[in-house]
C-alpha cells in the first residue's frame, strides 16, 4: 500500500518515525493509502531546512518572489482537474466542489502576485530640520500552518502564498485525513521555481502539532479548525513567543424575512447547508424563519432537500458526496436522532442512506429539522454535516437576538427585499462576515477572513491586508544627513521635532 511521505527541503522524505495513519476513500469506505506521521525530530528537520532557506529567500527581490507566484498560479490553473480529483478521492466532496475551492484559493495567489503595491512603505520629508522618516515591512522567518480536512487546498492557500511572497519560509501540517493535496501543491511550487526549503510539508498528529507550537525556530503559526483546538493552539504558541492566527468553529445562521423571495432563499440555503456535505466552517446550519415565512420556507426546503443528488464525488451530476470518515457519519446521524428525542420535527431524514455500488461508503443524506429551539443539541453543537435546523421567530430583532446570543460569530446571512432591514441587520449582528441575499459570505482575497467571538481566538484574521500584517513586522527609520563639517547641536532633553 502506498505511503504518503513528508515533503522537506524540496523532495519527499520518509521521516524518522515508523508511525502511520490510514487514508480512506470515503465513497467506498476502503483504506487506500497510509500517511507518515512526523515525530518532533522530523519537525525539527523541516524547521532546519526552512531556516536555511530563509537566509537567501528573505533577501530575494520582490520581483523574483512574484514571478514564482505568477508561475505557481498558472500551474494551479493547468492542474486544477488533477488536484480536484486528488481532493475528491480523499475528502469525498465532488470534483466540481474541489475545483471551486482551488479557484478560491488561487485568488489568494493572485493577491500575492500584486504585493508590490501592498508592501509599499511611506515617507515623510523634513519632519524636523534635516530629518526624514520612512517605514517598511520585513518577513518574520519560518512560519507554519496547521490546516483542517475540509479544505485541503483552499485553507492552506489562504496562508502560504502570502507568507512566501512576503519573504518567509513555510511549514504546512495538513490534516492526516486527506494529505495528498499538500504534497501535490509542493511539487507545483518546485516546478514554479521556488527554492528548496521555502515550502515544506510535515504530516502528523498531536506530536507534530506540539512540536510546531513549541519549536524555538518557528516565528508564527496559522491555524483553522475547531474552537477547542484553536484555543489550545493560541495558548500554547503564544506562551512560546509566537504570533498566532487561530480560526475556530461556527454556527452560521441564515435569516429569512417574509418579504424575501422564498424560492430564491431556499435554493441558496439548500446549497449552503448541504454543499460539501455540510463540512464547511461557513456552511448554513441554521435557517431562522421570521413570522409567516416559516411554513412556506420549510415546505420549499423539504422539496429541495429531497432533490439533492448524493453519490461518489467523481460521478458527473452528483451534488453531495460522503462524509470524510465513518465516525463523522455516525456522529451526524446520531445528532438527527437526538434532535427527534428532544422535540424537533424531522422533516427530511437522511439517515441510513445507501448508494448503489458504494454500500460501505460514509454516506448520509440531507436532513432537515423544524421547530428547533436554541436549547437543543442540534442548535448548540457544530454538527459539521448535512443537517439544516429551522428556528422560528416572530421578528427580525428577535432573529438578531438569537444570533448574538450564540457563542459563535463566523458568518451569517439575511434574505430580504428591504434595504432598511438589511442595513439594520448588518449593523447589529455580532458576526464577522455577513451576506445579504448571499448564503456563504466568504470574502474575496483582498479582504480578510475572520469571525467574532468563539470563531476567532485572538485578533488576527486570515489573508488580505490582515495576512500581510501577520506575516511581516514593521520598521520605522528616522534619518539625518548633515552637510560635511556642519555642526548639529545635540540636546540632553527628550528629542522633539523642533
Amino acid at each position: 500500500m502506498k505511503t504518503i511521505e513528508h515533503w522537506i527541503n524540496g523532495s519527499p522524505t520518509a521521516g524518522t518515525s515508523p508511525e502511520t495513519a490510514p487514508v480512506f476513500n470515503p465513497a467506498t469506505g476502503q483504506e487506500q493509502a497510509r500517511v507518515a506521521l512526523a515525530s518532533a525530530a522530523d519537525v525539527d528537520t523541516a524547521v532546519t531546512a526552512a531556516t536555511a532557506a530563509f537566509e537567501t529567500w528573505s533577501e530575494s527581490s520582490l520581483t523574483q518572489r512574484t514571478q514564482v507566484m505568477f508561475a505557481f498560479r498558472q500551474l494551479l490553473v493547468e492542474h486544477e482537474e488533477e488536484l480536484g480529483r486528488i481532493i475528491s478521492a480523499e475528502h469525498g466532496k465532488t470534483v466540481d466542489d474541489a475545483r471551486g475551492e482551488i479557484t478560491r484559493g488561487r485568488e489568494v495567489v493572485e493577491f500575492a502576485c500584486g504585493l508590490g503595491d501592498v508592501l509599499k512603505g511611506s515617507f515623510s520629508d523634513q519632519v524636523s530640520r534635516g530629518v526624514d522618516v520612512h517605514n517598511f515591512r520585513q518577513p518574520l522567518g519560518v512560519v507554519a500552518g496547521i490546516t483542517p480536512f475540509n479544505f485541503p487546498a483552499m485553507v492552506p492557500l489562504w496562508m502560504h502564498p502570502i507568507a512566501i511572497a512576503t519573504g518567509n519560509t513555510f511549514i504546512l501540517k495538513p490534516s492526516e485525513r486527506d494529505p495528498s493535496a499538500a504534497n501535490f501543491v509542493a511539487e507545483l511550487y518546485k516546478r514554479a521555481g521556488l527554492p528548496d526549503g521555502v515550502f515544506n510539508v510535515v504530516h502528523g498528529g498531536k506530536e507534530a502539532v506540539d512540536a510546531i507550537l513549541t519549536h524555538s525556530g518557528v516565528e508564527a503559526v496559522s491555524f483553522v479548525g475547531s474552537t477547542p483546538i484553536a484555543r489550545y493552539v493560541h495558548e500554547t504558541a503564544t506562551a512560546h513567543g509566537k504570533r498566532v492566527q487561530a480560526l475556530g468553529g461556527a454556527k452560521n445562521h441564515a435569516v429569512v424575512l417574509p418579504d424575501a423571495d422564498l424560492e430564491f432563499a431556499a435554493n441558496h440555503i439548500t446549497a449552503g447547508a448541504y454543499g460539501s456535505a455540510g463540512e464547511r466552517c461557513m456552511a448554513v446550519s441554521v435557517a431562522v424563519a421570521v413570522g409567516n415565512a416559516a411554513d412556506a420556507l420549510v415546505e420549499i426546503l423539504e422539496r429541495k432537500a429531497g432533490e439533492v443528488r448524493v453519490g461518489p464525488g467523481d460521478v458527473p451530476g452528483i451534488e453531495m458526496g460522503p462524509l470524510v470518515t465513518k465516525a463523522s457519519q455516525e456522529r451526524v446521524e446520531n445528532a438527527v436522532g437526538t434532535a427527534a428525542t428532544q422535540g424537533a420535527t424531522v422533516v427530511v431524514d437522511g439517515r441510513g442512506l445507501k448508494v448503489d455500488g458504494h454500500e460501505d461508503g460514509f454516506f448520509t443524506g440531507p436532513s432537515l429539522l423544524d421547530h428547533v429551539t436554541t436549547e437543543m443539541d442540534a442548535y448548540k453543537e457544530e454538527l459539521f454535516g448535512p443537517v439544516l435546523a429551522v428556528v422560528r421567530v416572530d421578528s427580525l430583532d428577535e432573529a438578531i437576538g438569537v444570533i448574538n446570543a450564540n457563542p459563535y460569530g463566523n458568518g451569517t446571512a439575511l434574505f430580504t427585499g428591504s434595504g432598511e432591514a438589511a442595513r439594520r441587520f448588518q449593523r447589529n449582528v455580532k458576526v464577522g462576515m455577513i451576506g445579504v441575499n448571499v448564503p456563504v459570505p466568504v470574502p474575496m482575497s483582498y479582504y480578510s477572513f475572520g469571525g467574532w467571538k468563539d470563531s476567532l481566538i485572538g485578533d488576527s484574521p486570515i489573508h488580505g491586508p490582515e495576512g500581510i500584517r501577520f506575516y511581516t513586522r514593521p520598521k520605522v527609520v528616522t534619518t539625518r544627513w548633515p552637510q560635511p563639517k556642519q555642526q548639529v547641536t545635540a540636546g540632553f532633553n527628550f528629542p522633539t521635532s523642533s
Side-chain angles (χ1 to χ4, degrees):
M1 182 172 288
K2 178 179 71 170
T3 298
I4 301 164
E5 297 182 329
H6 316 294
W7 180 279
I8 298 175
N9 206 25
S11 63
T13 305
T16 60
S17 172
E19 297 295 321
T20 63
V23 178
F24 290 93
N25 181 331
T28 65
Q30 301 301 307
E31 183 179 336
Q32 59 181 329
R34 306 289 297 185
V35 59
L37 300 180
S39 64
D42 297 325
V43 171
D44 184 66
T45 299
V47 174
T48 299
T51 300
F54 178 74
E55 294 301 317
T56 53
W57 182 246
S58 62
E59 294 297 325
S60 62
S61 69
L62 184 58
T63 298
Q64 179 185 349
R65 284 181 255 146
T66 54
Q67 283 176 343
V68 169
M69 285 297 150
F70 274 111
F72 176 59
R73 184 254 177 212
Q74 184 58 34
L75 289 169
L76 283 174
V77 172
E78 294 172 2
H79 294 276
E80 182 180 286
E81 179 71 18
E82 184 179 359
L83 180 54
R85 291 189 176 278
I86 289 171
I87 294 168
S88 178
E90 292 183 351
H91 175 281
K93 66 176 64 177
T94 67
V95 174
D96 283 345
D97 192 24
R99 285 197 296 256
E101 76 159 275
I102 296 165
T103 298
R104 292 308 304 266
R106 193 173 67 233
E107 291 169 357
V108 180
V109 182
E110 293 163 356
F111 177 70
C113 289
L115 286 191
D117 183 66
V118 180
L119 286 176
K120 286 190 302 186
S122 59
F123 185 93
S124 296
D125 173 70
Q126 197 74 353
V127 298
S128 186
R129 284 172 291 183
V131 177
D132 307 322
V133 178
H134 71 276
N135 70 338
F136 60 98
R137 304 190 73 88
Q138 289 185 311
L140 304 177
V142 179
V143 299
I146 302 169
T147 56
F149 76 88
N150 58 329
F151 289 102
M154 184 184 74
V155 170
L157 283 166
W158 286 356
M159 303 172 183
H160 53 73
I162 296 176
I164 291 170
T166 51
N168 300 279
T169 55
F170 198 90
I171 298 170
L172 173 62
K173 206 302 287 182
S175 171
E176 62 274 23
R177 297 178 187 175
D178 44 10
S180 294
N183 287 31
F184 189 84
V185 166
E187 293 175 358
L188 295 186
Y189 263 133
K190 188 175 181 72
R191 290 176 56 185
L194 190 69
D196 293 345
V198 176
F199 181 76
N200 307 274
V201 180
V202 290
H203 302 289
K206 189 175 187 301
E207 182 178 358
V209 169
D210 285 344
I212 290 170
L213 300 181
T214 60
H215 199 293
S216 60
V218 176
E219 299 291 337
V221 176
S222 300
F223 172 83
V224 175
S226 69
T227 292
I229 305 303
R231 291 190 188 281
Y232 174 78
V233 167
H234 189 272
E235 291 168 3
T236 305
T238 54
H240 286 81
K242 307 183 193 313
R243 290 187 178 185
V244 184
Q245 289 174 322
L247 281 69
K251 197 70 177 180
N252 304 313
H253 303 70
V255 178
V256 182
L257 295 184
D259 69 346
D261 182 329
L262 296 185
E263 187 77 20
F264 174 89
N267 193 45
H268 285 273
I269 290 172
T270 298
Y274 304 131
S276 199
E279 294 173 320
R280 296 171 175 162
C281 66
M282 290 291 283
V284 177
S285 55
V286 181
V288 183
V290 177
N292 59 16
D295 288 342
L297 178 66
V298 170
E299 181 180 342
I300 302 171
L301 288 172
E302 178 182 10
R303 168 167 54 84
K304 291 188 178 296
E307 295 171 352
V308 176
R309 297 187 293 275
V310 183
D314 60 352
V315 174
I318 291 297
E319 295 172 315
M320 191 181 98
L323 291 165
V324 69
T325 63
K326 182 70 173 177
S328 296
Q329 178 195 35
E330 293 173 348
R331 175 179 48 79
V332 168
E333 296 197 348
N334 288 339
V336 175
T338 299
T341 62
Q342 292 180 344
T345 302
V346 182
V347 179
V348 178
D349 192 341
R351 294 174 292 177
L353 176 69
K354 295 296 180 183
V355 175
D356 291 344
H358 294 77
E359 287 78 9
D360 294 326
F362 309 140
F363 291 96
T364 188
S367 290
L368 176 63
L369 310 176
D370 193 10
H371 302 288
V372 174
T373 68
T374 57
E375 291 78 30
M376 294 180 182
D377 290 347
Y379 177 81
K380 293 188 294 183
E381 296 177 2
E382 184 184 20
L383 301 182
F384 228 61
V387 180
L388 177 61
V390 178
V391 174
R392 297 176 178 231
V393 298
D394 293 329
S395 67
L396 174 59
D397 289 338
E398 186 179 350
I400 293 171
V402 167
I403 295 170
N404 289 349
N406 193 277
Y408 295 111
N410 208 43
T412 189
L414 175 69
F415 288 88
T416 183
S418 167
E420 184 280 326
R423 189 173 188 276
R424 178 155 42 112
F425 180 79
Q426 66 195 35
R427 287 183 56 81
N428 292 336
V429 289
K430 297 176 181 178
V431 176
M433 293 170 286
I434 301 165
V436 176
N437 298 316
V438 175
V440 184
V442 178
M444 298 297 292
S445 61
Y446 37 85
Y447 287 85
S448 296
F449 180 104
W452 286 16
K453 300 184 284 188
D454 285 355
S455 295
L456 179 69
I457 310 303
D459 62 350
S460 293
I462 204 165
H463 72 60
E466 291 291 336
I468 301 295
R469 183 201 62 79
F470 181 77
Y471 290 121
T472 60
R473 55 168 63 98
K475 280 184 175 178
V476 181
V477 182
T478 304
T479 60
R480 173 189 281 134
W481 299 100
Q483 296 177 9
K485 298 182 180 180
Q486 178 185 6
Q487 295 297 317
V488 179
T489 303
F492 286 86
N493 297 325
F494 191 85
T496 69
S497 61
S498 61

